[in-house]
Amino acid sequence: MSDFIDDTYKRVEKIIRDNNLKIKSFEDLIGVSNNSIGTSIRRKASFKSNVLNKILISFPEINPTWLLTGKEEMLLKSKQENLLIEPDLEYKKSTLNKEIKERLIELLLKDNEIKEIVTSHFTEIIEELK
């Protein structure tokens, strides 16, 4: 057996750690018996192909070449790009939501009737807080 197979337990351990899972949760998630992953990691043993297959099915973002050999990147390229883009999209979404709210308030306050109601409402709230 090649040396790289012996390090598979380290890569499985990294998947568990990077996903903030406990070994038991990981075992449940991939559908293997209790302590099978934990035992292999403690013994620094390799995994059977059916276990590696279950890991890849449960974690489709994991690069199979990396899992088996340790070569290439841990995550497949498309998943890496999504991880880089996703926070940027969240920021844009929150910025857009803020801008929409500000414009909505601005439009509402242009209407004198609404402006009076809002002012009255806030005045009541301030009085209650005193």
Side-chain angles (χ1 to χ4, degrees):
M1 208 172 263
S2 302
D3 288 340
F4 71 84
I5 294 292
D6 295 337
D7 286 342
T8 307
Y9 74 93
K10 290 180 184 176
R11 292 186 288 280
V12 171
E13 197 171 31
K14 180 169 175 41
I15 294 169
I16 294 168
R17 189 175 53 250
D18 286 3
N19 285 280
N20 296 318
L21 294 170
K22 302 240 184 261
I23 291 174
K24 168 87 171 88
S25 303
F26 182 77
E27 291 168 337
D28 292 344
L29 186 67
I30 67 170
V32 296
S33 61
N34 290 344
N35 296 317
S36 61
I37 300 295
T39 300
S40 292
I41 289 172
R42 279 190 303 283
R43 291 181 178 172
K44 300 179 180 181
S46 59
F47 294 92
K48 292 183 179 180
S49 61
N50 66 327
V51 172
L52 295 173
N53 192 42
K54 288 179 179 192
I55 292 170
L56 292 172
I57 289 170
S58 300
F59 294 89
E61 70 275 12
I62 298 297
N63 182 343
T65 302
W66 173 83
L67 182 60
L68 295 174
T69 67
K71 296 178 181 172
E72 298 184 11
E73 297 294 321
M74 176 179 170
L75 300 177
L76 294 170
K77 292 283 185 213
S78 62
K79 295 297 179 178
Q80 286 177 335
E81 290 167 4
N82 287 342
L83 290 174
L84 294 175
I85 292 170
E86 198 169 299
D88 186 46
L89 288 177
E90 284 301 315
Y91 174 76
K92 286 179 182 176
K93 182 179 171 185
S94 68
T95 303
L96 182 62
N97 284 340
K98 182 180 176 187
E99 190 174 319
I100 290 170
K101 288 175 186 175
E102 288 171 354
R103 287 189 182 175
L104 183 59
I105 290 170
E106 186 180 305
L107 286 172
L108 288 172
L109 291 176
K110 286 182 179 179
D111 183 313
N112 285 332
E113 185 179 347
I114 292 176
K115 189 175 183 177
E116 287 178 25
I117 292 170
V118 169
T119 304
S120 171
H121 185 68
F122 280 119
T123 304
E124 289 174 15
I125 291 172
I126 291 169
E127 288 299 318
E128 289 178 12
L129 292 174
K130 288 182 178 179

